[in-house]
Amino acid sequence: MGSIIDQRNLDYDRLAERGGERPPRESAGRAASVAGPESGSEAGNVRENVNRFTGHRSELRADRVPGFDGGEERSESEFIAKAKSYAVSVADAVGFEAGVAPEFEADPTVTTTSEGMRVVSLQQMSNGIEVWSMAPKVWLHSDGAVDRLVGDTVSVPPDLPAKPVVAAEAALLAAVREAAKARTVRSNFGDDELPQLEISEGDFTRLSFQSLPARPMTFSRGAFAEDIPARLVYLDMGGSFRLTWFFTLSREDLIVQYKAFVEADEQTRDPEAPEILYFYDSASHAVGGRVITRNPGQTDFRDVPFPLPVSEYPVEPPVGFPAFGSWTDPVNGKLATVGNNVRALNGTTRKPFEITASPSGGVFAANADSPEQFVTNIFFFCNYMHDFFLMLGFNEESGNFQAINPGGVGRGADPVDALAHPGRVVGTANMSTRADGVAGLMNMGLVTSTGRHTANDSDVVFHEYVHGVSNRLVGGMLDAEGLNEDQSVAMGEGWSDFFALTINNFPGTLERVVTGSWVTARESGIRQRPYDSRYPGTFGDIGKGAGEVGGAGNADLSYQEVHDVGEIWCAALMQVTREVGAALGSKERGYRVTWQAVVDGLKLTPKNPSFLTARDAVLRAFKSMKGTGRLADGEYTGVRGAVWEAFAKFGMGFDASCPNATFSGCRGGTALPPEGVED
């Protein structure tokens, strides 16, 4: 992901503008307590997590907020109503100005963590129009008691314009002209040139329109890969708000997916030629049968059953976990690399690998390094990841990737379309995630410098698949758009590296700490340093360039780009895994408990989080395991201390702070929480 145009003032400090005054900690009739990384004062037992850009608290913990009456099971709509009511009731404690009644819409699906915490995703609105990037989550216990509200909100003027002075067609023309430009797509596998698209104004006709305040509509695709959705969105420019037309424009195979915000209000100088205020690429580009189960440098080809037996996974399935459905079923006497979870296709022909089905089944066996073998391998890897994360709770209600949802929740119709391109493809490897009900798209291609294919390397395929998981769990099922700010995008890279390495490390005695080494034929892989306990980068290094990172031998390190910054997050999670295993006296339990805490933490994490927001979600996920079958009370004490030690080692201690989720103002800290402070 990369920002191409951004006219927002990301250095804007709403706190400084109002003299450093923070929102009141308590409001009459509103029981709430403040918690989170401190901002601007000495750390104590109470920390204030205030986003200086919005001037609002990013976390508000509930205190004495009762749950539902009675003990009967409650519906999702009741949890949603409770969450919305709570968010409105604590508006001034969060930071909304007096007399401003906030407006929220909720994702109709309530996510549940492994320990039963309900998570309701909200979207701030004004005049029935979305306020971009302001999407908090409310955590509720199973009895309906509110735990806390986390995520960003902002006070908007009551007189924001709701009627555009710019026609959608004029705004679209500005967006498509920018999206059609030739560009260089960069990755650690090399640079590719995205060619100029030839477009004309008549290429784009309106296909649909809804008479809602946001005026959602769809235009024909023209030279782009998909039809173009449009709607009105309010964009916080830093102290002021603009009404904009918002478009999503996809190039071939979703190699890039541009998000464009084009001015639409009365501030527009020329309604016939409006300006683009914000424009970025949201696609994730990797920098990072008879199948290869890791990569050819580690494992040989072996015949494995499709699907794999549960014993082949490093995760212990929940009690009563149902048997997996078939990865693929015979159709007209044929078996193909197409099933409920994955549609693996040749990227050139757009056809699956097919074999003749026999009474006993069949084996997808193909010559090594053939197009059919690449398709088979990507089919195996993606199905493996589907089942692995299903065991950890990335299921139908959380927005996983399935054509049909047997449980009847979620939208279905969205397996991963995994394209194994026989040769080079722009970007080499990527994954595009759309809302629940719209298929994810993965591209894997040949690394021309080595002649090795990314479809054969679990480091790369696992990394890209995890982008789909993190985008859906943090972003929510409605749009999967939860990782847009710099720290958020960087963590997307870190989560992907973390799972790619730890899944393969589980069964062995040696810990791999380098990713992408086989496909690039570089011992150092695709990252700046190995992810061992000596990894040098810390949270306080974010934003520093080469020569600015402290410590001997670190002059070449730089933390000004999202993949590099993501290394810090991955290194911290790797250390958490080691420390938890040591605290429990078992590497295997350490891996399993940490995987579950990270997945539950993704569900708890609000849109556009900072490292510290996501850290707190992981800590809260571990706390939910206290006294359950997963962690005994005594074990939890040791695990909590180990997790804090690991985060503190990488500068994310109790005294760490940052003003928002950008790369500016990150202050590292190594302090552990004072006694008595709860996570």
Side-chain angles (χ1 to χ4, degrees):
M1 180 267 191
S3 179
I4 298 168
I5 298 171
D6 194 349
Q7 296 195 44
R8 298 176 299 166
N9 177 15
L10 295 177
D11 293 324
Y12 173 74
D13 190 333
R14 193 179 298 267
L15 280 184
E17 184 181 79
R18 63 189 188 200
E21 180 185 352
R22 287 171 168 75
R25 292 188 179 182
E26 291 253 0
S27 301
R30 290 170 180 149
S33 62
V34 181
E38 182 210 21
S39 178
S41 62
E42 292 301 316
N45 281 15
V46 176
R47 299 167 295 157
E48 294 194 57
N49 185 2
V50 179
N51 182 326
R52 302 188 72 92
F53 184 77
T54 66
H56 282 205
R57 288 199 172 91
S58 298
E59 179 177 352
L60 190 72
R61 299 188 185 185
D63 185 21
R64 303 181 301 279
V65 177
F68 299 120
D69 295 331
E72 68 272 16
E73 189 72 21
R74 298 294 181 139
S75 67
E76 288 193 347
S77 62
E78 290 175 292
F79 280 100
I80 289 170
K82 182 93 172 184
K84 291 175 70 174
S85 174
Y86 176 75
V88 172
S89 75
V90 296
D92 55 346
V94 170
F96 282 97
E97 296 172 7
V100 177
E103 177 187 345
F104 295 103
E105 287 188 359
D107 187 321
T109 302
V110 178
T111 302
T112 305
T113 70
S114 66
E115 303 302 326
M117 185 77 77
R118 304 305 202 275
V119 184
V120 176
S121 299
L122 301 177
Q123 172 62 57
Q124 186 179 343
M125 311 290 287
S126 181
N127 302 317
I129 297 171
E130 174 185 338
V131 182
W132 178 256
S133 193
M134 302 301 151
K137 289 183 177 180
V138 179
W139 306 354
L140 305 100
H141 296 276
S142 57
D143 65 355
V146 177
D147 187 278
R148 69 191 68 180
L149 181 147
V150 294
D152 289 326
T153 55
V154 66
S155 295
V156 299
D159 57 350
L160 281 180
K163 184 177 180 180
V165 301
V166 175
E169 288 77 5
L172 175 64
L173 196 57
V176 298
R177 284 171 175 164
E178 187 65 36
K181 289 181 179 178
R183 280 196 174 84
T184 299
V185 177
R186 293 186 167 86
S187 78
N188 280 353
F189 304 117
D191 293 348
D192 294 291
E193 299 305 318
L194 199 61
Q196 173 83 30
L197 288 181
E198 297 300 322
I199 62 170
S200 64
E201 188 172 349
D203 292 341
F204 309 100
T205 58
R206 188 186 294 186
L207 303 177
S208 67
F209 173 79
Q210 299 179 57
S211 56
L212 297 171
R215 292 172 164 80
M217 62 187 76
T218 305
F219 290 92
S220 58
R221 69 189 64 187
F224 292 90
E226 297 185 332
D227 292 338
I228 303 167
R231 69 180 188 273
L232 291 172
V233 165
Y234 290 121
L235 183 66
D236 188 348
M237 301 298 294
S240 65
F241 293 84
R242 299 292 303 273
L243 181 66
T244 69
W245 285 109
F246 173 71
F247 304 95
T248 298
L249 303 113
S250 304
R251 298 284 297 258
E252 183 181 359
D253 293 331
L254 308 191
I255 294 300
V256 296
Q257 241 189 342
Y258 294 124
K259 308 293 183 180
F261 298 76
V262 184
E263 59 181 352
D265 54 22
E266 65 277 359
Q267 296 183 50
T268 306
R269 293 176 184 169
D270 184 354
E272 298 301 316
E275 280 191 272
I276 295 175
L277 301 179
Y278 186 27
F279 187 92
Y280 67 91
D281 173 18
S282 65
S284 62
H285 301 288
V287 296
R290 180 163 299 161
V291 296
I292 299 163
T293 55
R294 294 192 190 180
N295 64 53
Q298 294 180 275
T299 55
D300 294 324
F301 283 96
R302 57 184 276 232
D303 290 347
V304 299
F306 287 6
L308 287 173
V310 171
S311 59
E312 288 279 335
Y313 294 87
V315 187
E316 293 180 342
V319 175
F321 192 81
F324 298 129
S326 298
W327 286 2
T328 183
D329 293 303
V331 177
N332 298 325
K334 298 282 189 180
L335 285 168
T337 52
V338 173
N340 197 46
N341 315 322
V342 183
R343 296 185 292 224
L345 311 174
N346 181 308
T348 299
T349 66
R350 291 302 199 272
K351 293 182 179 179
F353 178 30
E354 288 187 344
I355 61 172
T356 300
S358 69
S360 59
V363 176
F364 291 94
N367 294 328
D369 292 333
S370 66
E372 294 78 16
Q373 185 261 307
F374 299 149
V375 169
T376 303
N377 234 78
I378 200 172
F379 183 71
F380 168 78
F381 281 149
C382 289
N383 272 292
Y384 180 96
M385 292 297 275
H386 168 275
D387 293 352
F388 173 84
F389 279 106
L390 187 62
M391 291 184 185
L392 290 171
F394 182 49
N395 49 24
E396 295 173 9
E397 72 162 24
S398 302
N400 71 349
F401 300 100
Q402 293 180 165
I404 298 172
N405 289 350
V409 296
R411 291 180 176 83
D414 59 352
V416 171
D417 286 335
L419 304 183
H421 299 265
R424 179 84 174 175
V425 62
V426 173
T428 306
N430 65 41
M431 172 81 171
S432 292
T433 314
R434 280 84 67 83
D436 190 36
V438 184
L441 179 60
M442 178 183 290
N443 291 281
M444 290 289 148
L446 192 73
V447 178
T448 51
S449 62
T450 63
R452 296 176 176 181
H453 204 286
T454 53
N456 282 345
D457 194 341
S458 63
D459 283 0
V460 183
V461 180
F462 286 6
H463 176 106
E464 294 302 332
Y465 193 99
V466 177
H467 276 301
V469 177
S470 59
N471 283 333
R472 285 242 172 125
L473 289 183
V474 175
M477 298 164 69
L478 287 180
D479 61 12
E481 286 280 344
L483 302 173
N484 296 305
E485 297 296 351
D486 287 340
Q487 286 190 49
S488 313
V489 179
M491 281 191 293
E493 301 299 332
W495 278 310
S496 287
D497 276 4
F498 165 71
F499 279 107
L501 284 170
T502 54
I503 289 171
N504 284 329
N505 282 342
F506 181 86
T509 56
L510 295 176
E511 182 187 44
R512 274 188 75 228
V513 292
V514 172
T515 185
S517 54
W518 174 79
V519 77
T520 60
R522 294 198 300 261
E523 186 177 345
S524 60
I526 57 176
R527 302 300 183 216
Q528 297 183 98
R529 291 285 198 280
Y531 288 128
D532 56 27
S533 60
R534 297 166 297 181
Y535 183 86
T538 69
F539 181 72
D541 293 321
I542 292 176
K544 294 181 180 179
E548 298 178 306
V549 179
N554 295 331
D556 60 329
L557 288 176
S558 175
Y559 293 105
Q560 296 179 315
E561 190 272 336
V562 292
H563 296 93
D564 295 337
V565 174
E567 295 176 19
I568 299 170
W569 185 243
C570 177
L573 292 181
M574 296 276 284
Q575 189 66 18
V576 167
T577 309
R578 298 181 194 108
E579 297 282 2
V580 171
L584 295 174
S586 166
K587 170 194 168 183
E588 290 76 15
R589 279 195 72 198
Y591 272 62
R592 287 168 175 159
V593 168
T594 303
W595 282 332
Q596 189 64 71
V598 172
V599 170
D600 284 349
L602 286 166
K603 294 179 179 180
L604 296 170
T605 301
K607 288 188 175 185
N608 298 314
S610 70
F611 276 43
L612 304 182
T613 302
R615 173 206 64 186
D616 290 347
V618 171
L619 283 159
R620 187 59 180 81
F622 275 113
K623 183 180 178 181
S624 294
M625 300 177 186
K626 179 182 178 181
T628 67
R630 207 176 292 273
L631 286 178
D633 285 354
E635 289 179 325
Y636 169 70
T637 301
V639 165
R640 178 181 184 264
V643 175
W644 268 112
E645 289 277 3
F647 279 124
K649 178 181 176 67
F650 289 97
M652 286 175 266
F654 186 80
D655 53 337
S657 68
C658 58
N660 48 45
T662 69
F663 287 168
S664 299
C666 295
R667 189 181 73 183
T670 58
L672 300 179
E675 187 174 349
V677 170
E678 293 288 330
D679 296 326

